[in-house]
Amino acid sequence: MSGSHYFTSAPEVASERRPITVSLPDVTLELTTDAGVFSRSRLDPGTRILLEHAPPPRVRGPILDVGCGYGPIALTWATRRKRLPVWAVDVNTRALELVRLNAEALGLGNVQAALPEDVPEDQRFAAIYSNPPIRVGKGELRRLLHQWLGRLTPDGSAFLVVQKHLGSDSLQKWLNDQGYPTTRVTSVNGFRILEARPRPEGEGPESGRGTTS
């Protein structure tokens, strides 16, 4: 049933909230998850690797979690950087409700959960951390990456975790081809962490036409 997919706006599957513990070397979070959101029963391996192995933001400023789900990435960084605003963005309204619930329970007033269209046009981010929704399809994924990488501050970085067998190496090549300087930070258990930087000012992809789908 398509409405039950975690990347739809309103999951049709019945709500069934449950508590889980996200335990990292430096942070332990008691969170609530629900049916119809990504990896509801445990912290998925890719997100764990991103949170344990991606470097901290290179510069100070707002942090963005794209495809936030119930919020493990956003809430972890909001805990690590309590004085910085952290945006949690998703198309799944149930996921956003969980982020708000979890942030309130943790006493994190620096978290803003929002639909993509509700993020102000002029909002820029010093760092993006994301376990991007690879399974939405290549065209939609590329559109999403163009949308949010364009919101990075000039010295900002996006850290993306992608499984090797789901195309991390080809994604790295595509990002470079699009003008986003992208390197591999590390590889852990078949997952790559990629660091993408914004396009140099005034430059665009030489081969960008017709490559977003």
Side-chain angles (χ1 to χ4, degrees):
M1 181 166 55
S2 61
S4 66
H5 290 318
Y6 63 84
F7 45 79
T8 59
S9 60
E12 294 175 7
V13 63
S15 175
E16 187 182 345
R17 289 183 175 178
R18 61 186 296 178
I20 68 166
T21 300
V22 172
S23 183
L24 301 166
D26 61 328
V27 174
T28 298
L29 304 175
E30 301 296 332
L31 303 179
T32 298
T33 70
D34 203 344
V37 299
F38 176 63
S39 194
R40 63 180 291 247
S41 61
R42 65 185 180 118
L43 184 66
D44 67 284
T47 297
R48 178 176 294 280
I49 287 168
L50 182 71
L51 290 173
E52 291 185 353
H53 295 278
R58 308 293 194 192
V59 293
R60 185 176 177 84
I63 297 170
L64 170 65
D65 172 9
V66 177
C68 62
Y70 60 89
I73 296 173
L75 297 165
T76 295
W77 279 109
T79 302
R80 290 171 173 170
R81 298 289 189 273
K82 291 185 178 179
R83 295 185 178 182
L84 293 179
V86 178
W87 286 77
V89 171
D90 206 298
V91 298
N92 185 326
T93 54
R94 183 176 295 177
L96 296 177
E97 290 173 6
L98 291 169
V99 174
R100 297 182 186 107
L101 175 72
N102 286 322
E104 183 176 359
L106 294 168
L108 295 171
N110 57 331
V111 177
Q112 178 70 42
L115 294 167
E117 59 267 27
D118 292 336
V119 179
E121 286 289 333
D122 60 351
Q123 178 66 54
R124 296 294 179 264
F125 302 97
I128 296 172
Y129 290 88
S130 182
N131 183 352
I134 299 295
R135 297 185 189 280
V136 298
K138 184 181 293 186
E140 181 63 19
L141 176 67
R142 290 178 173 182
R143 186 202 62 77
L144 179 149
L145 291 173
H146 271 304
Q147 176 182 2
W148 296 110
L149 293 180
R151 298 287 197 98
L152 285 169
T153 60
D155 294 325
S157 291
F159 299 97
L160 313 172
V161 63
V162 183
Q163 278 186 289
K164 183 178 186 295
H165 81 269
L166 290 180
S168 60
D169 295 346
S170 61
L171 179 61
Q172 180 180 349
K173 180 181 184 303
W174 178 81
L175 287 167
N176 276 304
D177 288 345
Q178 297 299 301
Y180 304 105
T182 302
T183 58
R184 185 194 305 171
V185 175
T186 191
S187 182
V188 181
N189 296 335
F191 287 88
R192 313 283 209 221
I193 296 179
L194 305 178
E195 179 178 6
R197 305 296 302 276
R199 290 173 175 165
E201 189 173 352
E203 293 186 16
E206 292 181 0
S207 58
R209 294 185 180 89
T211 62
T212 59
S213 60

